[in-house]
Amino acid sequence: MNRAMAMFWRQGYQATSIAELLQTMDIGRSSFYAAFKDKRSFFIECLDLWAERTLDLIQRSRAQMPPVDALQSFFERGFVAASGAKGNWGCMLVNTVLEMAGVDDALADHASRHLDQLQALFGDCLTDAGAEPVRAQELAAMLMLFNEGIRVSSRRRVSQIHHRQSIATTFRLVRSSLS
Amino acid sequence: MNRAMAMFWRQGYQATSIAELLQTMDIGRSSFYAAFKDKRSFFIECLDLWAERTLDLIQRSRAQMPPVDALQSFFERGFVAASGAKGNWGCMLVNTVLEMAGVDDALADHASRHLDQLQALFGDCLTDAGAEPVRAQELAAMLMLFNEGIRVSSRRRVSQIHHRQSIATTFRLVRSSLS
DNA sequence: TGGGTTTTGTACCAATTGGTGCGGAATGAT
DNA sequence: ATCATTCCGCACCAATTGGTACAAAACCCA
């Protein structure tokens, strides 16, 4: 299932056929439809799994370091770990929103709600760091905008160094805004 | 052709079938294949048209107002004009990059190069506004990141007001950085 | 009006899509 | 070993995909 999720992550929903999925999961057609209802339902499961892992990633970091550091490490990890030689696939939630909006709005909304959760978690980290609730919400919204932007940019052929720099300057701004 | 472009813009490449295109263009199948080589080639034409119009939009604004105002009006127009009751379709270039990356990399690169042009134009406006070349490039890159982010965000159900606010604060930052 | 060229409507094609059903193989308990 | 049950490979299906062939129609200049 991890492989299937990665496939959806990289290629999106429409461009991934069931045949491809079966091959990478190394199971038969019957087994697939026995375990999952639909291609669509299965995609949602993968989407949820992806979101869950992403939230967990931040939560775990938060237990080990100051909250703002945890946030920053989240952005940096997304650009180092996920982008090997194989290239970066961006954020599955962002990808899904842009692919399905105007095609399957329910699906796009589902991904969008996950992004809301992520933004809420950003806010939590910022209040933890001592920001006032209102200000934390503002900053979280800004970080989400930054996230969406950099995830798009990461699917282009822009140099990694440049992204790192953007992250650095953004978080310098965030930190200065908190002190 | 405008209608066809709008269709691709809203639904993306894969989700738009030839049959739908023919219907909205109100032409027959033969006429289509006589005028355009492929679905893919036709999509590229639409993409180029969209990019051309976007660049023109900025250029025209630049002839009528200070360069930074022109940039700001570009962002604001994208959110008022394009987003009627029918909703906002974001930026066709950004949409294409995210849809086709990992599926048809050549197509994604094509859209990405258009974004490079757009970013270059951002840079021109900023140098016009008196920024030093290096600084202008930095700011242009930041604006492109902002553009990518807000175009994603605009396809979610986030309130318009919020976007306007983001634009305002971003440009306040840009202006203060220029003075 | 006539003949030749372009345009266009439509039937048709092979390939692929997501999804179902069946028959046999593996499994496990007695 | 036997039986029942679960599992799975594979054939099959209808629908849709992008693309082509071909003939009829519209057009234009003489």
Side-chain angles (χ1 to χ4, degrees), chain B residues 49 74 103:
Chain B
L49 178 63
F74 161 68
V103 178

Side-chain angles (χ1 to χ4, degrees), chain B residues 28-31:
Chain B
R29 231 179 173 73
S30 310
S31 317

Side-chain angles (χ1 to χ4, degrees), chain A residues 105-174:
Chain A
D105 288 324
L107 213 53
D109 280 357
H110 189 86
S112 184
R113 275 193 295 269
H114 276 306
L115 284 174
D116 287 338
Q117 285 181 35
L118 189 59
Q119 183 171 333
L121 184 54
F122 288 173
D124 287 354
C125 288
L126 291 167
T127 50
D128 262 25
E132 293 176 16
V134 182
R135 185 73 185 133
Q137 293 309 312
E138 283 178 19
L139 281 175
M142 195 201 87
L143 273 186
M144 177 51 73
L145 214 57
F146 177 68
N147 178 56
E148 291 162 337
I150 209 165
R151 295 301 191 152
V152 172
S153 176
S154 73
R155 299 211 73 169
R156 300 172 57 198
R157 301 208 181 273
V158 185
S159 72
Q160 300 276 334
I161 303 134
H162 195 257
H163 286 145
R164 299 246 206 178
Q165 220 167 29
S166 301
I167 297 175
T169 55
T170 298
F171 273 88
R172 205 178 312 129
L173 199 69
V174 170

Side-chain angles (χ1 to χ4, degrees), chain B residues 115-155:
Chain B
L115 285 175
D116 287 338
Q117 284 182 35
L118 190 59
Q119 182 171 335
L121 184 54
F122 287 173
D124 286 355
C125 289
L126 291 168
T127 51
D128 262 24
E132 295 176 15
V134 182
R135 185 75 186 131
Q137 294 309 312
E138 283 178 18
L139 280 176
M142 195 201 87
L143 272 186
M144 177 50 73
L145 215 57
F146 177 69
N147 178 57
E148 290 161 338
I150 209 165
R151 295 300 192 153
V152 172
S153 176
S154 73
R155 299 212 71 169

Side-chain angles (χ1 to χ4, degrees), chain B residues 31-32 39 41 45 47 57 77 85 119-120 170:
Chain B
S31 317
F32 179 85
K39 181 192 178 187
S41 306
E45 281 192 43
L47 205 64
L57 192 71
R77 277 219 220 182
Q119 182 171 335
T170 298

